[in-house]
Amino acid sequence: MKIAVYPGSFDPITNGHLDIITRGSKTFDKLIVGVLVNVDKKGLFNIDERVELIKRVTKDLPNVEVVSFHGLLIDFMKKYDANVILKGLRAFSDFEYEFQMALMNNKLDPEVETLFMMTSAQYSYLSSSAVKQVAKFGGCVEGLVPSDIIPDIIKKIKE
Ligand code: PNS
């Protein structure tokens, strides 16, 4: 059974993330979305909220599981018997950081492969940070994030 982990902060999940999750779910037997608990960075949504939002928008993908993790990604992967890290690549500018992480993860565990999926063109400019900025200043986030979670973002920004 081929189990992959798609790791990230997902604060919040965007349509770009959902596109990779949907395509990844067709590529692997099981896809685990690993949501990083970053104690150094206060996000818009707390970790349980992020997990809940992702679960909500992936409920129709039966081989997708959503789990939070802290510490090293490699340790999380071992726990779930996964040996592929799935990452999305949007632009050339993503490459250097992703290349470094892929090599570091492979150094920590040579059994682990990082596979990159090119983002779909219509989402190549999308990021969670950009979505938060647009929402913060009252812009329209329709089409940027799954429509199911737009009320959650607007409510959270107002808090
Ligand atoms: O969505 P993000 O913030 O770009 O995701 C980054 C993430 C979660 C993939 C990365 O920070 C990560 O894997 N963190 C876990 C810590 C770790 O394993 N570091 C070693 C590799 S450099």
Side-chain angles (χ1 to χ4, degrees):
M1 182 147 147
K2 236 1 181 191
I3 305 174
V5 167
Y6 177 48
S9 304
F10 305 105
D11 184 37
I13 183 168
T14 68
N15 278 340
H17 295 133
L18 187 56
D19 171 55
I20 299 287
I21 294 170
T22 306
R23 288 158 61 206
S25 73
K26 294 177 191 154
T27 311
F28 301 98
D29 298 314
K30 184 169 175 179
L31 182 68
I32 298 164
V33 181
V35 188
L36 178 72
V37 179
N38 188 346
V39 284
D40 301 326
K41 209 168 145 192
K42 195 187 171 314
L44 177 63
F45 290 97
N46 70 36
I47 200 70
D48 293 335
E49 290 167 336
R50 289 180 214 181
V51 167
E52 192 276 315
L53 293 180
I54 305 170
K55 280 186 175 169
R56 198 191 305 167
V57 299
T58 58
K59 65 178 187 313
D60 294 330
L61 301 171
N63 63 338
V64 171
E65 199 176 322
V66 189
V67 190
S68 63
F69 76 100
H70 48 82
L72 286 178
L73 174 59
I74 287 297
D75 293 333
F76 173 67
M77 301 208 28
K78 276 199 192 105
K79 195 170 152 197
Y80 283 86
D81 216 14
N83 58 0
V84 174
I85 300 169
L86 176 67
K87 299 299 296 275
L89 267 190
R90 288 166 301 189
F92 200 67
S93 50
D94 281 343
F95 182 78
E96 201 170 328
Y97 172 67
E98 293 297 346
F99 185 54
Q100 186 189 18
M101 277 209 293
L103 292 182
M104 178 61 86
N105 284 322
N106 189 258
K107 167 84 179 83
L108 293 173
D109 185 347
E111 293 296 309
V112 162
E113 289 290 349
T114 302
L115 293 185
F116 293 98
M117 202 173 250
M118 299 311 298
T119 187
S120 297
Q122 75 262 38
Y123 303 129
S124 57
Y125 63 95
L126 258 183
S127 70
S128 297
S129 317
V131 165
K132 281 183 277 194
Q133 218 168 84
V134 170
K136 190 173 160 193
F137 295 109
C140 175
V141 293
E142 198 74 51
L144 309 182
V145 295
S147 43
D148 276 7
I149 74 164
I150 292 178
D152 299 77
I153 295 174
I154 292 170
K155 182 166 172 266
K156 199 68 168 177
I157 292 279
K158 283 184 184 157
E159 276 173 12

